[in-house]
Amino acid sequence: MKEKLLQLHKNSYCPYSNFQVSAAVVMKDGKEFYGVNVENSNGTSICAERNAIASAVCAGYKRGDFLELNVMVSSGKIGTPCFACRQVIIEFFGLKDTIRCFATTGEYKEYTVKELCPYPFGSGDLV
């Protein structure tokens, strides 16, 4: 997965921050979907994680079909998804599903969704 994420970094559009992010979601049937961050001048950028998740949804996948998320940032450190992405992760992944956060060196830390999102806000909170 490290090599795929490194290759995806080349597609990142980040002229303002120069902070490349790539992501890959793996579905329970083995299919993979990819995303990169896409910035724009007014700050309403698209994160790589949400880009990859949205690609899977566009292909017809639903909540419960997602298995794992892999993310890589270009800072040389291991980064984790932002809070907007964490909210989308909660929407589509189970609390025990895996999130792997990579550095460009190949080092990574593995988390469950519950570890990254210990107090999730979900549909049950809307009542």
Side-chain angles (χ1 to χ4, degrees), residues 82-113:
C82 74
F83 282 90
C85 287
R86 291 179 196 208
Q87 185 60 45
V88 174
I89 289 166
I90 286 293
E91 189 68 28
F92 291 99
F93 288 83
L95 293 176
K96 294 180 182 178
D97 290 338
T98 301
I99 300 176
R100 255 181 237 96
C101 301
F102 287 84
T104 52
T105 60
E107 290 179 86
Y108 68 91
K109 288 186 180 176
E110 192 170 290
Y111 302 94
T112 64
V113 171

Side-chain angles (χ1 to χ4, degrees), residues 4-111:
K4 286 181 186 177
L5 293 172
L6 278 171
Q7 280 296 106
L8 277 172
H9 263 66
K10 296 174 185 174
N11 298 336
S12 174
Y13 180 74
C14 55
Y16 306 101
S17 70
N18 294 313
F19 185 75
Q20 297 169 309
V21 184
S22 56
V25 293
V26 180
M27 312 311 290
K28 287 183 179 173
D29 66 5
K31 180 98 169 125
E32 296 178 358
F33 293 90
Y34 308 104
V36 296
N37 58 322
V38 180
E39 295 180 347
N40 64 59
S41 59
N42 78 356
T44 56
S45 301
I46 302 168
C47 294
E49 299 93 326
R50 287 183 280 152
N51 202 342
I53 291 167
S55 292
V57 172
C58 285
Y61 288 90
K62 307 280 186 242
R63 179 178 178 84
D65 295 335
F66 292 76
L67 179 63
E68 67 183 49
L69 171 66
N70 299 276
V71 182
M72 180 182 281
V73 299
S74 64
S75 67
K77 299 178 182 177
I78 294 171
T80 59
C82 74
F83 282 90
C85 287
R86 291 179 196 208
Q87 185 60 45
V88 174
I89 289 166
I90 286 293
E91 189 68 28
F92 291 99
F93 288 83
L95 293 176
K96 294 180 182 178
D97 290 338
T98 301
I99 300 176
R100 255 181 237 96
C101 301
F102 287 84
T104 52
T105 60
E107 290 179 86
Y108 68 91
K109 288 186 180 176
E110 192 170 290
Y111 302 94

